[in-house]
Amino acid sequence: MGSSKWMRIIPVAFVMYMLAYVDRINVGILMPYMQEDLHFNASAAGDIAGIFFIGYLIFQIPGGILAAKWSARKVIFILMILWGVCATLAGFVQTEGQLKLVRFALGVAEGGVWPAVLVLLANWFTIKERARANAFWMACLPVSAMLMAPLSGVLLKYFEWKTVLILQGLPPILWAFVWYALVKDKPSDATWMKSKEKETLLLDLEKEQRGNVESEGYLAAFKNKTVWGLVVMYFLWMTGFYGYTLWVPSVVGTISKDSVTVGWLTAIPFTFALIGMLLNSYWSDKRMNRIQHVAIPLIIAAISMVAGQFVSSPVLQLVLLSITAIGVYAPYGPLWAIPTAIIPAGVVGAALGLQNAIGNLGGYNGPKFFGVLKDATGNYHAGFYFLATALVLAAVMTYVLGKNLNTEKPTTVPAKKNHSA
């Protein structure tokens, strides 16, 4: 099959979600400046970083349904403008409360983007291609952190943190129009595809949908114990993941006080995270093993987190932060192949929605309790022990879920109208 859709859809989606992730995590590197200016403690900093995920929960499932029944392209276009406005407004706040409110609104706006992109990719890529499409798209997560950290560091050299937020909030509004111009909801709308390529793709997608199972809805997903196992596992992983991602710039800040240096040093762990994420996904596909390629990186991340509390050398600290980054990012590829292999086909669409929506509340849990422990102890040690514990529990839950792989056959992903997660 031709490569036009790969070159057209994936890069535009990559940049789009990269901008979303920048606006989500840039508070990590800006946090020390916010604390100094607005006078709040580490616990409040955890609230500001994590309250995004409370808002994120609200539009997850409705966003996916709206994208499937109306238009993923239009839903994402509207949400890009809304989140760009919210991200820009963060640069005009005067109080801690206002900053929390804007971060919450940013979470609401971004919450519908992830499921809408999954719906769009399901319209364009066959089941055999979808894992690679998801992997290429999700690679934007570490890439955005790699680029955001040095950029924020340089901008902080010349502007105050509020101006940096405004400058980083404007690109999504501009990119929304690029997105709308280049992306179509389905192949039949694409005038840039060759006729033969389009016909072949539409035929392949139609064949897949013939064998699909009607969705049993969210009630069936709520009653499924395996679904809740996935939700708990994802919650624990996101606790460790976002706790690490949003606080690592502050930890690097103990190595250097120069904003540019902190930015470049913060980019190093995320560079290794990108490499680890791609290699782990490739190796998982080659071995057709998902469980080990999720659980083992999480355990490695937990060990390196704990080890980092016993070293004082800046070089060793950076090495361990990099190993941790590899461990918390590497599961992204293989993880999303697990639900379709252990959950009945009629439930899997709703299950993915619940897993991503409720599980992402770990993004509040991690930064918040890390900040509380920082205030209580005066250092980062207890916070990292807490995050490491969450990652170990996530690994254990992954192995428990893996037992179902031996007894249940892989299922077919539901048709796009049900794929709302």
Side-chain angles (χ1 to χ4, degrees):
M1 188 173 293
S3 60
S4 63
K5 66 179 180 181
W6 291 93
M7 299 306 296
R8 187 85 171 203
I9 304 296
I10 297 298
V12 182
F14 184 98
V15 174
M16 179 273 296
Y17 209 71
M18 183 176 72
L19 294 173
Y21 199 63
V22 165
D23 288 334
R24 183 182 311 182
I25 67 170
N26 56 7
V27 294
I29 201 163
L30 300 177
M31 192 62 75
Y33 303 89
M34 293 176 172
Q35 287 183 267
E36 185 179 348
D37 193 12
L38 299 181
H39 311 292
F40 54 81
N41 59 18
S43 176
D47 270 331
I48 288 166
I51 200 170
F52 169 95
F53 295 96
I54 305 295
Y56 192 78
L57 170 67
I58 294 173
F59 204 54
Q60 275 278 303
I61 293 171
I65 294 172
L66 192 60
K69 293 189 174 181
W70 179 43
S71 165
R73 172 189 178 224
K74 291 176 182 177
V75 166
I76 293 169
F77 172 74
I78 294 168
L79 292 178
M80 284 189 78
I81 293 175
L82 290 176
W83 104 57
V85 169
C86 292
T88 304
L89 286 175
F92 294 94
V93 301
Q94 300 297 321
T95 66
E96 173 193 330
Q98 290 174 356
L99 185 55
K100 287 179 180 177
L101 180 63
V102 172
R103 288 281 298 170
F104 175 83
L106 179 65
V108 175
E110 283 192 25
V113 176
W114 177 280
V117 174
L118 289 180
V119 170
L120 185 82
L121 294 182
N123 290 345
W124 276 95
F125 297 91
T126 64
I127 292 173
K128 291 180 180 179
E129 298 171 319
R130 217 164 290 161
R132 279 177 291 151
N134 285 340
F136 284 130
W137 166 50
M138 287 188 289
C140 68
L141 302 184
V143 169
S144 61
M146 285 163 51
L147 298 177
M148 179 275 298
L151 176 62
S152 298
V154 171
L155 289 174
L156 283 167
K157 197 78 172 177
Y158 302 99
F159 305 103
E160 64 171 358
W161 64 270
K162 291 182 180 181
T163 306
V164 174
L165 284 173
I166 293 170
L167 291 173
Q168 292 180 342
L170 292 174
I173 299 174
L174 300 175
W175 193 255
F177 293 93
V178 177
W179 166 273
Y180 198 79
L182 295 181
V183 173
K184 301 296 181 185
D185 272 309
K186 47 189 182 293
S188 56
D189 298 332
T191 57
W192 43 266
M193 283 187 84
K194 293 180 180 179
S195 298
K196 187 175 181 180
E197 180 185 2
K198 185 187 296 188
E199 289 171 10
T200 304
L201 176 58
L202 289 170
L203 188 62
D204 289 342
L205 291 169
E206 186 182 345
K207 285 179 182 177
E208 285 182 359
Q209 290 175 11
R210 280 187 204 138
N212 285 336
V213 180
E214 285 295 316
S215 173
E216 297 176 34
Y218 286 95
L219 184 60
F222 267 104
K223 294 178 179 178
N224 189 296
K225 292 181 181 178
T226 304
V227 170
W228 283 106
L230 284 165
V231 168
V232 171
M233 178 272 159
Y234 198 59
F235 176 85
L236 291 166
W237 175 30
M238 290 296 99
T239 294
F241 178 89
Y242 279 110
Y244 169 83
T245 301
L246 291 164
W247 278 101
V248 70
S250 296
V251 177
V252 174
T254 63
I255 299 174
S256 172
K257 298 301 179 185
D258 178 69
S259 65
V260 177
T261 304
V262 169
W264 283 107
L265 290 177
T266 301
I268 292 174
F270 295 112
T271 303
F272 283 99
L274 172 63
I275 297 169
M277 183 176 169
L278 294 176
L279 287 177
N280 190 54
S281 296
Y282 172 79
W283 195 14
S284 173
D285 278 345
K286 194 171 183 179
R287 295 182 65 216
M288 286 307 294
N289 185 306
R290 309 304 182 189
I291 301 303
Q292 290 180 7
H293 287 268
V294 171
I296 292 175
L298 293 176
I299 292 171
I300 291 172
I303 292 170
S304 61
M305 269 187 184
V306 173
Q309 311 317 303
F310 296 93
V311 300
S312 56
S313 164
V315 174
L316 280 177
Q317 285 182 339
L318 205 56
V319 168
L320 289 168
L321 284 173
S322 297
I323 293 172
T324 302
I326 292 170
V328 295
Y329 274 89
Y332 257 109
L335 173 82
W336 291 104
I338 293 175
T340 51
I342 63 175
I343 296 174
V347 180
V348 73
L352 288 168
L354 292 174
Q355 180 181 351
N356 198 45
I358 301 175
N360 261 302
L361 289 176
Y364 176 82
N365 190 49
K368 171 61 178 177
F369 281 97
F370 192 102
V372 169
L373 292 168
K374 168 70 166 58
D375 282 338
T377 63
N379 58 56
Y380 293 109
H381 300 328
F384 274 116
Y385 296 148
F386 168 74
L387 299 181
T389 301
L391 293 176
V392 169
L393 291 174
V396 171
M397 182 63 72
T398 303
Y399 275 114
V400 171
L401 291 167
K403 293 179 181 179
N404 292 330
L405 287 172
N406 300 322
T407 58
E408 296 185 31
K409 295 179 181 179
T411 57
T412 306
V413 178
K416 74 176 182 65
K417 65 179 179 179
N418 302 319
H419 198 287
S420 59

